[in-house]
């Protein structure tokens, strides 16, 4: 009986091998370690589902080895599950595609096990239709300089995403809300350099959002106070848009925020004092806006802050920071604020802040007219500038080294005496 069971086991094993290879060879080990790291196993054959292997071949994907091998860091790459006897794709990246690549519906149906799909420098049209099973499976979608053009409706169908990245691709939509309103599981959303118009969403459904990047678009209007509901947000980039209005006070409720950029917009008004509540903030960029009023001293309470850019605004008054705070910063920019000045008794001109020192009234010291740039700089100096002025005076006239008046007098007297003697000699000869 035991011999029969053993023989039956051998027959089943042979049948399994024949089913996989057509009867020519035994299948490679389904172990993920062997298929990813053993070159011999990769050369022996693929562990990938034949339908998906055919789909990859139709897209010009190199399938000489095992597509489930370790992914390439630059070009096309895949990752597979550990199922047996066939593994299935869970991640696919298509890079540097041929413009002639055709993503057929049949191929997309075969790739319905994908959880991550990425296009990098693939100048091909976006597929008109994504199979519903693929849409349901995807958790990550990335498109950088690829697919020529996308629509908000096309992207909004990817409702189960946790990670959305669209960069450098024109997106036709009335606003980011069209795309994001149905993605309730999002944790990271980057829609940048897409010519996206509209406004920053007023209603948020992905409350676990950690990363939000809507930079380099054409967004207009104010930043809504409702953004404060994103309590898990760590990075926020709304730079290089056409946003206007003031920063809402509720911005201070984003307790997890570590990096915030509102640069290159048309935002105005003062910096909300609530900013000082962002105790985890490391990077803050408010440059190239129309912010005004005084800079709140409470920003110096942000102990973890390393990058602070306030340049090219309309701030006024005295810079409220001391040297100890500025020394903790790796980057500090405040130039381009003509009505802002610094207390030269607290801060040295050697910091090169790009603003003038304050006079006794707390106003910027105006440089005297008709001076060179170097002279203007010396007027803003708060150390021994008088010594330099004294040196200039010496070099311009105080150190004259010409002949003295006494020497000149003696020389003239001797000349006159010499000519008088000659005159007398000549006169005596004429008279004699």
């Amino acid at each position: 009986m035991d011999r029969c069971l053993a023989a039956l086991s051998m027959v089943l094993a042979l049948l399994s091998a024949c089913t996989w290879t057509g009867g020519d060879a035994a299948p490679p080990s389904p172990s993920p370690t062997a298929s990813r790291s053993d070159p011999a196993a990769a050369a022996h054959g693929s562990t990938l589902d034949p339908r998906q292997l055919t789909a990859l071949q139709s897209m010009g994907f190199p399938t000489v080895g095992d597509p489930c091998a370790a992914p390439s860091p630059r070009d096309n790459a895949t990752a597979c599950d550990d199922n047996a006897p066939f593994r299935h794709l869970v991640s696919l990246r298509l890079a540097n595609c041929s413009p002639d690549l055709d993503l057929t519906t049949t191929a997309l149906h075969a790739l319905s096990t994908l959880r991550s799909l990425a296009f990098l420098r693939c100048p091909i049209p976006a597929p008109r239709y994504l199979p519903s099973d693929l849409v349901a499976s995807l958790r990550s979608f990335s498109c950088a300089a690829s697919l020529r053009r996308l629509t908000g409706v096309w992207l909004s169908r990817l409702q189960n995403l946790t990670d959305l990245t669209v960069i450098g691709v024109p997106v036709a939509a009335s606003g980011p809300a069209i795309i994001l309103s149905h993605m309730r599981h999002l944790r990271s959303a980057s829609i940048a350099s897409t010519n996206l118009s509209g406004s920053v969403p007023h209603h948020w459904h992905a409350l676990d959002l950690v990363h939000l990047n809507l930079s380099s678009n054409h967004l207009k209007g104010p930043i809504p106070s409702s953004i404060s509901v994103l309590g898990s947000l760590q990075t926020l980039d709304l730079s290089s848009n056409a946003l206007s209005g003031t920063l809402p006070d509720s911005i201070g409720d984003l307790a997890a925020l570590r990096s915030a950029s509102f640069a290159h917009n048309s935002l105005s008004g003062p910096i909300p004092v609530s900013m000082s509540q962002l105790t985890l903030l490391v990077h803050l960029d408010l440059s190239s806006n129309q912010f005004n009023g005084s800079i709140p001293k409470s920003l110096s309470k942000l102990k973890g802050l390393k990058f602070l850019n306030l340049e090219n605004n309309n701030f006024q008054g005295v810079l409220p920071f001391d040297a100890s705070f500025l020394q903790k910063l790796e980057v500090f920019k405040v130039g381009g604020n003509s009505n802002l000045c610094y207390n030269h008794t607290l801060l040295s001109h050697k910091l090169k802040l790009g603003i003038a020192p304050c006079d006794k009234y707390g106003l910027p010291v105006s440089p005297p007219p008709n001076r060179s740039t170097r002279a203007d700089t010396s007027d803003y100096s708060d150390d021994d500038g008088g010594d330099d002025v004294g040196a200039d005076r010496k070099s311009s006239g105080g150190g004259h080294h010409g002949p003295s008046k006494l020497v000149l007098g003696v020389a003239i007297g001797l000349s006159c005496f010499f000519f008088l003697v000659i005159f007398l000699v000549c006169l005596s000869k004429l008279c004699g």
Side-chain angles (χ1 to χ4, degrees):
M1 184 64 178
D2 293 337
R3 292 181 180 179
C4 291
L5 290 175
L8 181 59
S9 298
M10 294 178 62
V11 171
L12 290 175
L14 290 172
L15 287 175
S16 176
C18 292
T19 301
W20 191 84
T21 63
D24 293 333
S29 170
S31 168
T33 304
S35 61
R36 289 175 182 167
S37 61
D38 187 358
H44 193 267
S46 173
T47 61
L48 186 63
D49 185 319
R51 289 177 61 249
Q52 294 191 339
L53 187 62
T54 302
L56 291 182
Q57 291 171 342
S58 71
M59 293 185 290
F61 199 100
T63 57
V64 176
D66 188 353
C68 289
S72 164
R74 293 184 179 179
D75 299 320
N76 298 332
T78 58
C80 304
D81 61 20
D82 296 324
N83 290 349
F86 299 121
R87 302 173 68 185
H88 299 91
L89 291 170
V90 294
S91 176
L92 174 63
R93 182 181 69 201
L94 296 174
N96 303 311
C97 309
S98 167
D100 300 326
L101 175 63
D102 184 18
L103 295 177
T104 65
T105 303
T106 302
L108 293 173
H109 269 296
L111 299 176
S112 61
T113 58
L114 286 177
R115 296 178 64 83
S116 174
L117 178 60
F119 297 92
L120 177 61
R121 296 183 298 275
C122 282
I124 60 176
R128 294 183 180 180
Y129 171 75
L130 287 180
S132 57
D133 48 358
L134 176 58
V135 168
S137 178
L138 281 178
R139 297 295 182 269
S140 175
F141 178 78
S142 177
C143 179
S146 303
L147 302 187
R148 298 183 186 175
R149 179 179 179 273
L150 295 171
T151 66
V153 174
W154 192 95
L155 289 169
S156 68
R157 294 190 62 229
L158 307 176
Q159 299 182 9
N160 292 331
L161 293 184
T162 59
D163 187 347
L164 171 65
T165 301
V166 180
I167 298 177
V169 185
V171 175
S174 59
I178 298 295
I179 302 169
L180 303 177
S181 59
H182 299 290
M183 300 180 181
R184 298 179 179 273
H185 308 291
L186 268 183
R187 293 184 58 81
S188 176
S190 293
I191 308 175
S193 302
T194 63
N195 295 327
L196 187 64
S197 59
S199 60
V200 178
H202 285 71
H203 302 285
W204 299 92
H205 303 279
L207 301 182
D208 293 328
L209 203 60
V210 174
H211 172 79
L212 178 62
N213 179 5
L214 299 176
S215 64
S216 302
N217 286 301
H218 301 305
L219 302 181
K220 298 180 179 179
I223 299 173
S225 59
S226 59
I227 199 169
S228 62
V229 301
L230 302 177
S232 300
L233 201 62
Q234 295 182 12
T235 60
L236 173 62
D237 191 349
L238 300 177
S239 63
S240 300
N241 280 286
L243 300 174
S244 58
T246 62
L247 278 180
D249 289 334
S250 61
I251 201 78
D253 295 333
L254 299 176
L257 200 61
R258 299 180 60 85
S259 175
S261 178
F262 305 96
H264 298 280
N265 281 287
S266 297
L267 297 168
S268 58
I271 299 176
V273 178
S274 62
M275 277 277 189
S276 61
Q277 300 173 17
L278 305 177
T279 56
L280 299 180
L281 200 62
V282 176
H283 180 113
L284 178 60
D285 193 345
L286 302 177
S287 63
S288 300
N289 278 283
Q290 299 170 19
F291 288 112
N292 51 46
S294 59
I295 299 172
K297 186 178 181 179
S298 56
L299 288 181
S300 61
K301 296 179 181 179
L302 301 176
K303 304 302 182 182
L305 196 64
K306 297 297 181 184
F307 181 103
L308 179 59
N309 191 348
L310 304 175
E311 65 183 359
N312 299 325
N313 280 287
N314 298 318
F315 292 118
Q316 60 193 42
V318 182
L319 189 68
F321 306 136
D322 56 22
S324 62
F325 173 72
L326 297 185
Q327 288 171 357
K328 294 178 182 179
L329 298 176
E330 295 177 0
V331 175
F332 177 63
K333 298 180 180 180
V334 75
N337 290 281
S338 58
N339 293 319
L340 187 68
C341 59
Y342 68 91
N343 187 339
H344 64 88
T345 63
L346 297 178
L347 299 173
S348 169
H349 76 286
K350 295 179 181 180
L351 292 174
K352 298 180 180 179
L353 298 174
I355 56 176
C358 300
D359 61 16
K360 62 181 179 179
Y361 303 106
L363 299 174
V365 174
S366 299
N370 301 324
R371 293 282 189 93
S372 66
T373 303
R374 185 170 182 266
D376 291 343
T377 303
S378 65
D379 286 331
Y380 290 160
S381 172
D382 58 351
D383 59 2
D384 298 333
D387 293 342
D388 294 335
V389 174
D392 290 340
R393 287 177 179 172
K394 285 183 179 181
S395 63
S396 62
H400 181 68
H401 298 292
S404 66
K405 293 181 180 180
L406 177 62
V407 175
L408 287 175
V410 172
I412 293 172
L414 290 175
S415 299
C416 292
F417 177 77
F418 178 74
F419 283 112
L420 179 61
V421 170
I422 293 176
F423 175 76
L424 293 173
V425 171
C426 293
L427 183 62
S428 63
K429 288 183 178 182
L430 290 174
C431 294

